[in-house]
Amino acid sequence: MQDSYPRFRLPECSRIVAGLVLLAVVCSAVRQSAAQNQPEPPREPEPPASSTQPLTLTEQVLRDVLEPLQRGIEEHNPNQVLSVFDSQETPDYARLRDQIRAFFRQYEAIRFRYKVLQVSSEKDRGSVIADVDMAATPMDETRMGVQRSTQMSFQLKLADKGWKLVGFKPSDFFSQ
């Protein structure tokens, strides 16, 4: 008489068990993935940082003047550099504009770094003292690169759209 139960050999059993274990692992991974893809409950929107705390004077000066000045110099963008100046109140603005443009024609790669040492203001006027380092590679390969490090004094005016430069010393920084 024959048994009505199928007989499995050991290697076949181990393949079946391995297949079941693999199936269990795949199902578990699918469940975890589905759980991770569930949308989170909506959160209350956080108020912008500027509405919770007003910017300090130093933060305003960095945002309005020094960061755009640095970007403009490093990106060879005379319009951006000049946009941080108040063209009506900056003495010899036309001469400054010409100096900046001539500077960009002479140098291709420019690195401009600053470290703010002091910021002060009284009413709508302010000043910044910063250590400034600049390295510039000339367009003309026969000329030497330029490295300048100095302590600069920036004079500022508070305008409708933030702080603007009205002068800086040494005023010949871009024409040396």
Side-chain angles (χ1 to χ4, degrees):
M1 182 180 219
Q2 271 189 327
D3 290 339
S4 59
Y5 299 105
R7 297 204 184 237
F8 295 103
R9 285 181 265 152
L10 190 56
E12 290 176 18
C13 287
S14 61
R15 274 189 252 146
I16 292 172
V17 170
L20 291 174
V21 169
L22 180 60
L23 181 61
V25 168
V26 169
C27 288
S28 175
V30 167
R31 266 187 267 131
Q32 281 182 335
S33 176
Q36 289 175 351
N37 291 333
Q38 290 292 327
E40 291 183 25
R43 292 188 223 166
E44 290 293 316
E46 294 181 22
S50 61
S51 69
T52 58
Q53 288 184 330
L55 294 177
T56 66
L57 176 61
T58 301
E59 291 168 334
Q60 290 175 23
V61 169
L62 291 174
R63 178 199 64 202
D64 296 345
V65 178
L66 296 176
E67 289 172 359
L69 177 66
Q70 178 185 24
R71 263 192 326 276
I73 290 172
E74 290 184 345
E75 294 173 1
H76 271 247
N77 186 339
N79 293 333
Q80 183 168 350
V81 171
L82 294 169
S83 74
V84 301
F85 286 88
D86 183 321
S87 61
Q88 303 301 312
E89 298 232 5
T90 302
D92 284 333
Y93 179 81
R95 188 171 137 245
L96 171 68
R97 182 191 60 224
D98 294 342
Q99 282 179 352
I100 297 294
R101 289 179 178 162
F103 183 78
F104 285 149
R105 282 192 301 270
Q106 291 177 6
Y107 299 99
E108 63 179 338
I110 304 169
R111 185 184 58 79
F112 184 87
R113 300 287 181 260
Y114 60 87
K115 179 181 178 188
V116 174
L117 303 174
Q118 180 182 347
V119 179
S120 61
S121 72
E122 188 174 316
K123 296 185 184 181
D124 66 343
R125 298 287 175 168
S127 67
V128 175
I129 297 175
D131 284 335
V132 174
D133 295 311
M134 183 179 65
T137 304
M139 295 276 191
D140 182 356
E141 296 169 0
T142 62
R143 297 190 63 203
M144 297 269 301
V146 171
Q147 290 224 241
R148 296 183 188 152
S149 293
T150 190
Q151 193 171 86
M152 291 187 84
S153 171
F154 297 95
Q155 295 78 47
L156 307 160
K157 177 186 179 201
L158 185 57
D160 294 338
K161 296 182 179 180
W163 292 95
K164 293 283 188 179
L165 281 176
V166 293
F168 61 94
K169 292 180 184 174
S171 58
D172 62 349
F173 185 77
F174 293 104
S175 62
Q176 296 178 355

